[in-house]
Amino acid sequence: MKKFSVKIPSLLCLLPLVMLVVYYDVVSMNSMTELINHNNSNENKYLKEELKREVTQQSVQPSESFPSLRALVVGLEHSGTTMAGRLIMNAPCVIGAGETGYLLAETPAEIHSVQPWFEWNNAKTRDDDMWYKLQPNDIDDMKNAKDFVEMYNILRERSHLFNDLNDEEYCEKPYQIVDKTPRYVYPTHFEMILKKTPNVPVIVLQKPFEALQKSWAKRESVLTKELYDQVFDNVDNMKKKYPNRIFMLQYDELMNEPDNAMKSVFEFLGLKWDHQYLKMAGLKKKFSDYDRTISQLANMEFEKGAHSYGDMAPV
């Protein structure tokens, strides 16, 4: 039987070729891995951009003339404006103080005269994380603004509410403002407010007269039928004069069917409603670094037909 033999030098000659093949295999695998990672990165970036685009379409302020202001929440005191305002502020990319009130002034230079709102949002007089906590230099710059559009932009740039909270990753800072101020609805102010905030959507809370009269009486205030009728007759007139700007939110509907009521409000504002907002899930995320505020939010959780947050309990 004939024996075959392979000379070692022949094998050595093949070694560079083998190494070259292995090298190209490794390079190919690395290139493929990089390609996959690149594609995944692009896909993640694409998905993130799509999500941001979707949320932007839902929540971008429709008023080009007042881009910092997302919505106004108004209504006679103790009608549920705080409840409605907080539920709206659960949405991504928007926030506001307990009350704002600045638009009651004729000009930015006069905001110091708007009391008690001016003091409520002054860091010297109110150390509460759910208010603006403005410093003296912030207030000076706001008062020097040429108009309310510029003043609200300064407010957004300076207050911690619009810059330091933990909102969704796609939300650009500073966030947009939800100005909740019940007093805006009074006939002496309402049309002036509408003119100052062109195209900004307005949510008006209405509580039945008898129930609201009892709420006022509990706080040693008197609500007359005359004032009540003047307010809502004027709101009806403003709805005709400024179509598609004013949404009427009935207190009883909010209390008895909160999901349906708030879904309609959110659709009007171009926002997406989430049932978890009734448990203040959005605000709890935003204030997750503020232990004191988290405990306050626990007392604001909404239950159908009832509410534990002080003034908003049904009477």
Side-chain angles (χ1 to χ4, degrees):
M1 184 175 180
K2 188 176 180 180
K3 294 183 179 180
F4 292 92
S5 62
V6 178
K7 295 181 180 180
I8 296 299
S10 299
L11 286 175
L12 291 176
C13 291
L14 292 173
L15 185 58
L17 180 59
V18 172
M19 292 178 66
L20 185 62
V21 171
V22 172
Y23 170 78
Y24 277 110
D25 283 344
V26 171
V27 170
S28 298
M29 289 179 65
N30 288 339
S31 299
M32 184 63 70
T33 301
E34 290 177 2
L35 180 61
I36 292 172
N37 289 338
H38 178 72
N39 288 340
N40 285 341
S41 176
N42 284 341
E43 183 177 356
N44 290 337
K45 183 178 180 180
Y46 173 77
L47 291 174
K48 182 177 177 181
E49 289 299 320
E50 281 297 299
L51 178 60
K52 182 176 180 180
R53 188 177 298 112
E54 178 184 353
V55 173
T56 299
Q57 289 172 347
Q58 292 169 346
S59 60
V60 158
Q61 168 61 36
S63 174
E64 294 181 359
S65 53
F66 211 137
S68 63
L69 188 56
R70 187 66 191 83
L72 300 172
V73 181
V74 308
L76 285 169
E77 291 85 348
H78 317 304
S79 296
T81 53
T82 300
M83 183 195 321
R86 289 300 179 208
L87 289 172
I88 293 169
M89 292 175 200
N90 275 272
C93 315
V94 301
I95 196 66
E99 290 191 22
T100 300
Y102 296 135
L103 293 171
L104 293 170
E106 289 191 15
T107 66
E110 299 171 273
I111 59 173
H112 63 278
S113 66
V114 179
Q115 299 292 353
W117 298 273
F118 181 79
E119 293 300 324
W120 283 347
N121 287 294
N122 190 325
K124 286 186 174 181
T125 55
R126 191 177 195 123
D127 182 23
D128 188 321
D129 296 325
M130 297 185 76
W131 295 75
Y132 294 134
K133 295 172 63 173
L134 297 170
Q135 300 297 329
N137 61 312
D138 302 329
I139 295 169
D140 289 342
D141 288 343
M142 288 170 60
K143 292 176 69 174
N144 288 329
K146 64 181 180 181
D147 54 29
F148 282 101
V149 174
E150 183 177 303
M151 194 206 81
Y152 271 68
N153 281 332
I154 295 171
L155 171 61
R156 285 202 309 158
E157 292 168 0
R158 304 297 180 81
S159 175
H160 72 287
L161 283 180
F162 307 103
N163 299 281
D164 298 340
L165 304 187
N166 297 317
D167 212 329
E168 299 296 339
E169 184 178 347
Y170 51 74
C171 292
E172 295 182 1
K173 298 181 179 181
Y175 310 131
Q176 291 179 309
I177 300 171
V178 175
D179 182 342
K180 172 256 175 180
T181 305
R183 189 67 57 86
Y184 289 167
V185 81
Y186 281 59
T188 50
H189 307 304
F190 196 39
E191 186 167 14
M192 175 187 72
I193 300 296
L194 293 171
K195 289 180 178 179
K196 288 178 180 176
T197 59
N199 299 320
V200 175
V202 184
I203 308 301
V204 178
L205 272 291
Q206 184 175 19
K207 193 174 187 178
F209 171 72
E210 292 78 9
L212 186 56
Q213 189 179 46
K214 291 179 181 178
S215 295
W216 280 44
K218 286 173 62 176
R219 297 162 181 85
E220 299 182 353
S221 298
V222 177
L223 174 65
T224 65
K225 188 67 164 59
E226 181 182 11
L227 173 60
Y228 184 90
D229 289 343
Q230 285 177 353
V231 166
F232 291 106
D233 287 346
N234 185 60
V235 170
D236 287 340
N237 290 333
M238 293 301 104
K239 286 181 67 178
K240 297 172 184 175
K241 191 171 182 178
Y242 300 89
N244 304 318
R245 281 197 64 188
I246 300 171
F247 182 96
M248 294 296 300
L249 177 57
Q250 299 300 323
Y251 178 84
D252 287 346
E253 292 179 11
L254 176 59
M255 296 305 297
N256 296 322
E257 297 293 338
D259 271 305
N260 290 336
M262 290 309 300
K263 183 178 180 181
S264 297
V265 170
F266 271 55
E267 287 177 353
F268 180 77
L269 296 177
L271 299 169
K272 186 176 181 180
W273 171 248
D274 188 328
H275 173 76
Q276 293 303 313
Y277 293 163
L278 294 176
K279 299 297 183 182
M280 299 294 152
L283 281 174
K284 288 177 181 176
K285 174 183 175 64
K286 294 177 184 182
F287 286 96
S288 56
D289 292 337
Y290 297 77
D291 293 339
R292 177 178 58 178
T293 304
I294 288 295
S295 63
Q296 294 177 23
L297 289 169
N299 294 326
M300 297 182 192
E301 293 184 6
F302 185 95
E303 296 293 343
K304 184 176 178 179
H307 201 285
S308 60
Y309 186 41
D311 293 350
M312 296 183 293
V315 295

